[in-house]
Amino acid sequence: MTTITDAITEDHRELEEYYQTILDAKDEDTRTRYQNQFTWELARHSIGEELVVYPAMEKYLGADGKAKADHDREEHQTVKEHLKKFQDLHASSPEFIPTLKTLMAGLSKHNKEEERDDLPDLERALASSETSKDSEDLATSFNRTKMFVPTRSHPSAPNKPPFETVVGLMAAPIDHLGDLFRKFPK
């Protein structure tokens, strides 16, 4: 069974893979396809964490969980701003790779902190909780949530439920429609 740590770290590794593919790409078409894939995955991942994981941290870790979630939301905001700039760049732009590297530097730091501190603390709290919610349930909810959220960065949107949920439900169909006309890896 997949735990919430498994689901989150799987996304982190996929993003690292897409990042490296963009850096290694020999042609603009490949860079564009993986730019779209990277954006699609990171936007969905970030909102999934904000809607599912951070509220669970607040609930099961108390004041420490709220502090961790608030810190993570601040880091997400910075990542979303960099992602917005990156998603809007053309692959031939001289800013393309430097913008991606700046984005990935912040994202890598955030991911390492999450994997080292936040997720182990959450897993311990879930394991000792007397509720029926466990790590596998949270992973299922996280993966399901990613199916219904925006696929592009919207840094001006709220980053906490319930407002993020409402705005996301309005933006998602527009993003999904746009995705039909974007190039993705084959």
Side-chain angles (χ1 to χ4, degrees):
M1 294 293 239
T2 300
T3 65
I4 190 59
T5 298
D6 296 335
I8 299 291
T9 56
E10 179 181 334
D11 281 4
H12 291 173
R13 298 300 84 79
E14 284 180 9
L15 288 163
E16 291 165 0
E17 179 184 324
Y18 302 149
Y19 169 75
Q20 196 58 52
T21 300
I22 294 167
L23 293 182
D24 295 342
K26 303 290 185 228
D27 60 89
E28 194 175 298
D29 183 64
T30 302
R31 279 191 297 275
T32 298
R33 289 177 187 280
Y34 278 90
Q35 172 192 27
N36 289 328
Q37 185 69 35
F38 182 91
T39 299
W40 183 84
E41 185 59 44
L42 181 52
R44 295 168 56 247
H45 173 86
S46 296
I47 296 170
E49 284 185 342
E50 291 166 4
L51 292 176
V52 176
V53 179
Y54 299 163
M57 287 168 50
E58 293 170 341
K59 179 177 179 179
Y60 294 103
L61 298 174
D64 185 46
K66 178 160 181 12
K68 287 176 183 280
D70 287 344
H71 173 74
D72 287 347
R73 284 186 184 101
E74 286 176 22
E75 290 183 336
H76 270 203
Q77 185 61 35
T78 302
V79 166
K80 286 179 189 179
E81 290 165 6
H82 289 297
L83 181 59
K84 172 69 171 143
K85 181 178 180 184
F86 176 68
Q87 78 188 19
D88 291 342
L89 287 173
H90 192 273
S92 64
S93 168
E95 295 178 58
F96 187 82
I97 295 297
T99 300
L100 175 61
K101 286 182 176 181
T102 299
L103 164 61
M104 197 62 183
L107 181 61
S108 293
K109 176 186 171 292
H110 168 78
N111 290 350
K112 285 177 184 149
E113 289 173 1
E114 233 174 31
E115 291 176 21
R116 184 190 64 227
D117 302 325
D118 300 352
L119 293 171
D121 288 351
L122 181 58
E123 292 286 3
R124 279 189 294 277
L126 289 169
S128 66
S129 173
E130 294 181 15
T131 69
S132 61
K133 190 75 159 179
D134 67 8
S135 185
E136 293 168 2
D137 293 336
L138 207 56
T140 299
S141 181
F142 172 75
N143 286 323
R144 188 177 299 126
T145 298
K146 290 188 338 179
M147 291 189 282
F148 299 103
V149 297
T151 60
R152 307 292 282 176
S153 182
H154 301 281
S156 60
N159 64 1
K160 283 186 174 181
F163 303 109
E164 182 176 36
T165 308
V166 172
V167 172
L169 288 173
M170 292 187 308
I174 295 164
D175 288 354
H176 293 204
L177 182 62
D179 289 341
L180 294 174
F181 300 98
R182 290 184 185 95
K183 293 178 176 182
F184 285 88
K186 297 176 183 175

